[in-house]
Amino acid sequence: MFGDMMGMMGKLKETQKRVEETKKRLDTVLIDETSNDSKLKVTLTANRTIKTIEIDDTLLLDKEQLEDYLILTLNKAIEKATQVNEAELAAVAKEGMPNIPGMDMFK
């Protein structure tokens, strides 16, 4: 029993290390999102850090329109990045979880 606990603790520490490595790797995974008419393009990491914003000059003429474009496009990009982030971290966590009876939360 004690040996099993030590083995589980070791596996949990290894999983924690792999989760941290995955988080660092997600800083290099880029998500691009473009408005429907391609006047605005944003790029962010899978950890949801904005890297670039490209704005067509025509959007600079209308502040309200630009704000709307930014909100819509950034929200879509953040949603995509969140999906990638959560899927990657869940896969690492599920793979590394020890088989504890009654703790099958990742099925």
Side-chain angles (χ1 to χ4, degrees):
M1 166 101 179
F2 187 70
D4 289 345
M5 284 294 280
M6 293 303 288
M8 282 190 266
M9 293 302 289
K11 191 164 184 169
L12 286 172
K13 283 186 180 185
E14 179 62 30
T15 299
Q16 184 178 15
K17 179 181 174 191
R18 291 205 339 255
V19 165
E20 291 304 316
E21 290 168 354
T22 300
K23 285 180 181 178
K24 286 180 186 174
R25 184 179 60 75
L26 290 173
D27 277 333
T28 66
V29 175
L30 299 179
I31 309 295
D32 293 319
E33 184 62 46
T34 305
S35 64
N36 292 337
D37 58 5
S38 301
K39 290 185 178 185
L40 180 71
K41 178 182 175 188
V42 298
T43 301
L44 44 136
T45 70
N47 282 328
R48 298 170 297 269
T49 299
I50 298 171
K51 299 303 266 184
T52 64
I53 297 177
E54 297 174 25
I55 302 170
D56 185 276
D57 289 341
T58 59
L59 289 178
L60 299 176
L61 304 175
D62 185 343
K63 179 181 183 272
E64 206 170 291
Q65 183 182 23
L66 175 57
E67 290 169 346
D68 290 343
Y69 269 73
L70 284 168
I71 290 168
L72 291 171
T73 308
L74 283 169
N75 281 334
K76 285 195 294 186
I78 290 168
E79 184 177 327
K80 283 182 181 179
T82 298
Q83 290 172 354
V84 170
N85 183 290
E86 289 175 353
E88 291 284 328
L89 291 176
V92 171
K94 180 179 180 182
E95 180 183 308
M97 286 299 291
N99 188 14
I100 302 170
M103 296 290 289
D104 51 354
M105 30 187 193
F106 291 106
K107 282 190 173 183

